[in-house]
Amino acid sequence: MANSSSGMAVHDDCKLKFYELKTKRNYRFIIYKIEGQQVVVEKLGLPEESYDDFTNSLPSNECRYAVFDFDFTTDENCQKSKIFFIAWAPDTSKVRSKMVYASSKDRFKRELDGIQVELQATDPSEMSFDIIKGRAL
């Protein structure tokens, strides 16, 4: 269903796979891309995949949306998990692509009920493991 403000549709699979990540923990991460006039699932990360596997799955010169299920242990030794929404827009990506992803981001994010932390990154250092862990605590 297209949105009148951005004209961007969200494929049903995007919401379904996110729901499975959130409730069943079937995936460690999901990478989404805009194809034509709709957001689609590009890659699903298996539960045993690491944060490095996730970051290595992002293209170095193209924008993407991503969701990462981050498991961590608090200072009180409690196991927790937070779902991150990451808007990946590398400096080397095309200006038009950055504009399309930026203008559609909020609309797409609203479709994914359960995002706990949002992060925007233009290069890998802005979404290092330490930054993710710092934002989760």
Side-chain angles (χ1 to χ4, degrees):
M1 76 175 133
N3 175 318
S4 58
S5 63
S6 75
M8 195 59 60
V10 176
H11 193 279
D12 287 342
D13 218 26
C14 294
K15 292 180 272 193
L16 178 67
K17 297 301 181 200
F18 176 77
Y19 182 76
E20 289 175 5
L21 175 144
K22 183 174 84 170
T23 59
K24 299 178 187 163
R25 310 208 65 202
N26 290 4
Y27 311 108
R28 173 66 54 203
F29 62 85
I30 305 170
I31 296 175
Y32 302 96
K33 72 177 187 175
I34 294 176
E35 209 168 65
Q37 285 296 303
Q38 91 173 334
V39 181
V40 296
V41 172
E42 181 179 51
K43 180 173 172 122
L44 298 168
L46 299 172
E48 60 274 10
E49 290 195 68
S50 70
Y51 189 69
D52 284 340
D53 295 326
F54 164 64
T55 57
N56 291 333
S57 298
L58 291 168
S60 61
N61 60 355
E62 291 179 36
C63 299
R64 291 292 184 271
Y65 300 128
V67 171
F68 186 82
D69 186 6
F70 181 67
D71 291 325
F72 62 100
T73 306
T74 65
D75 294 337
E76 296 81 38
N77 215 22
C78 293
Q79 283 292 105
K80 293 213 170 184
S81 144
K82 286 223 171 144
I83 298 175
F84 278 75
F85 178 86
I86 299 169
W88 172 243
D91 289 330
T92 53
S93 58
K94 294 184 173 108
V95 172
R96 170 132 179 76
S97 175
K98 286 189 235 187
M99 288 171 56
V100 169
Y101 275 80
S103 66
S104 306
K105 181 186 70 158
D106 288 339
R107 152 87 169 94
F108 177 58
K109 204 175 79 182
R110 276 197 302 272
E111 297 285 336
L112 308 178
D113 185 36
I115 298 290
Q116 294 162 299
V117 184
E118 182 184 341
L119 197 67
Q120 296 200 122
T122 58
D123 74 70
S125 69
E126 294 178 355
M127 52 182 272
S128 70
F129 186 80
D130 290 340
I131 288 175
I132 293 289
K133 189 169 183 184
R135 291 286 304 272
L137 295 173

